[in-house]
């Protein structure tokens, strides 16, 4: 008979044979456990599911962080844009105010003295003839107009612009 290359000569002692048997049993047990683990589909599926669950949780956390960061960026951009728009609106309001003041001054400069005198006379006449409650309401309206002069002038200028645009088309 031929011996396998890894086998030792037959002149081994019983103690050596016992150790060899024990070693072979150990190797066989390890191999059987590995094969059993591979054959246990349920356990392998559970382990894989747990691994995927951990990966999904990690990915969800990363995505949540990214979303929060992006939200902060968008919020900052919106605040910057709102500030810029507010600044532009204030600038435009000042321009409109200035143009309205210029238009008012031009209209008053072109108004004949006779019209100015007539308006002044009508105002005095109105004060003498109008009933007290009407005068009181008119004074209140005049006071509000003085307090909100810029807004009144801007509205008048806007009205004049609309009127001019409509009459230019005709």
């Amino acid at each position: 008979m031929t011996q396998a290359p890894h086998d030792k000569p037959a002149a081994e002692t019983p103690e050596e044979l016992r150790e060899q048997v024990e070693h072979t049993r150990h190797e066989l047990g390890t191999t059987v456990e590995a094969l059993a683990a591979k054959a246990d589909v349920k356990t392998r599926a559970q382990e894989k599911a747990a691994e995927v669950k951990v990966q999904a949780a990690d990915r969800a956390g990363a995505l949540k962080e990214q979303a929060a960061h992006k939200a902060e960026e968008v919020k900052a951009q919106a605040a910057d844009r709102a500030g810029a728009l507010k600044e532009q609106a204030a600038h435009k309001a000042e321009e409109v105010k200035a143009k309205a003041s210029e238009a008012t001054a031009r209209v008053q400069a072109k108004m004949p003295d006779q019209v100015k005198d007539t308006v002044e006379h009508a105002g005095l006449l109105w004060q003498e003839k109008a009933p007290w409650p009407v005068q009181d309401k008119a004074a209140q309206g005049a006071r509000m107009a003085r307090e909100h002069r810029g807004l009144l002038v801007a509205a008048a200028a806007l009205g004049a612009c609309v009127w001019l645009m409509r009459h230019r088309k005709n």
Side-chain angles (χ1 to χ4, degrees):
M1 278 174 79
T2 59
Q3 289 185 3
H6 65 278
D7 289 339
K8 293 186 179 180
E12 297 177 341
T13 64
E15 187 60 37
E16 289 175 339
L17 287 175
R18 279 189 202 110
E19 285 179 22
Q20 240 182 3
V21 168
E22 190 59 38
H23 179 71
T24 304
R25 278 185 189 152
H26 178 70
E27 284 181 358
L28 184 60
T30 304
T31 305
V32 168
E33 284 178 10
L35 288 173
K38 282 188 176 187
D40 190 0
V41 175
K42 183 179 178 182
T43 303
R44 288 179 53 206
Q46 288 173 344
E47 289 172 354
K48 185 65 174 177
E51 181 182 321
V52 169
K53 185 177 177 181
V54 168
Q55 289 175 348
D58 291 346
R59 183 71 179 142
L63 289 174
K64 186 176 177 182
E65 272 185 40
Q66 287 177 348
H69 181 68
K70 191 64 172 176
E72 286 297 320
E73 284 181 10
V74 168
K75 184 178 176 183
Q77 288 173 352
D80 290 346
R81 184 71 179 140
L85 289 174
K86 185 177 178 182
E87 204 173 283
Q88 287 176 350
H91 181 66
K92 287 290 181 186
E94 288 299 319
E95 286 180 7
V96 168
K97 245 186 196 178
K99 287 180 181 180
S101 294
E102 290 172 12
T104 303
R106 282 195 304 266
V107 168
Q108 286 178 348
K110 290 182 180 179
M111 191 182 295
D113 289 337
Q114 185 180 6
V115 173
K116 290 179 186 176
D117 291 342
T118 303
V119 169
E120 188 177 317
H121 177 68
L124 292 174
L125 186 63
W126 182 82
Q127 284 179 351
E128 293 173 4
K129 303 280 181 175
W132 174 249
V134 173
Q135 286 183 11
D136 189 39
K137 288 291 181 183
Q140 185 181 9
R143 190 171 42 256
M144 290 196 61
R146 278 192 300 276
E147 290 173 3
H148 303 289
R149 183 173 289 154
L151 183 60
L152 185 62
V153 169
L158 180 63
C161 289
V162 169
W163 182 82
L164 284 173
M165 284 186 213
R166 291 185 120 200
H167 282 76
R168 280 189 182 171
K169 289 182 182 177
N170 295 334

